[in-house]
Amino acid sequence: MPPASPRPVDNLDDDDYPAYTMGRAAEMLGTTPAFLRALGEHRLIAPLRSEGGHRRYSRYQLRIAARARELVDQGTPIEAACRIVILEDQLEEAQRINEQLRTQGGEAQPKTTA
């Protein structure tokens, strides 16, 4: 028996579900489709493609794109903005993993010298 596909209602809470078209994503961010394409060219976000080949963005990707837009609006070149956002995202993930390890009692003990 094939695995059950998620019910449409289940996708409403999924930050990674590609729910937004390029036009809608650009509208929500107050930017242009060209800006979103540029973020893809700089490998900040990689939208999924619909069966018809249209770009589809998730809420997570829109948050990432919004942060990049903030930096660009402040005068940061798009290439630098993309790199900054990638590093911020990696740092946030590392901090989340660290916190998870601490709460599970997996924190490394400091080395002692004899």
Side-chain angles (χ1 to χ4, degrees):
M1 176 177 244
S5 356
R7 298 175 315 150
V9 172
D10 294 339
N11 294 330
L12 294 175
D13 294 327
D14 185 355
D15 264 3
D16 296 317
Y17 182 72
Y20 303 98
T21 63
M22 176 180 274
R24 180 68 179 125
E27 180 184 317
M28 290 170 68
L29 295 172
T31 190
T32 64
F35 179 77
L36 291 172
R37 281 191 295 275
L39 296 180
E41 290 168 11
H42 291 290
R43 296 188 175 137
L44 179 62
I45 55 176
L48 292 174
R49 298 284 182 146
S50 69
E51 288 182 19
H54 300 283
R55 290 173 177 90
R56 305 283 297 191
Y57 297 89
S58 68
R59 287 191 313 219
Y60 171 76
Q61 290 172 323
L62 294 184
R63 282 196 302 273
I64 295 291
R67 176 64 181 131
R69 174 150 191 245
E70 284 176 21
L71 291 168
V72 169
D73 287 350
Q74 294 169 4
T76 305
I78 193 165
E79 293 169 18
C82 289
R83 186 67 184 137
I84 290 167
V85 173
I86 288 168
L87 291 170
E88 288 175 342
D89 197 48
Q90 289 172 343
L91 176 60
E92 185 178 309
E93 176 69 4
Q95 289 172 331
R96 186 190 63 74
I97 290 169
N98 264 348
E99 184 58 33
Q100 202 173 39
L101 290 172
R102 278 192 195 108
T103 59
Q104 293 174 357
E107 186 174 30
Q109 299 298 316
K111 290 184 180 180
T112 56
T113 56

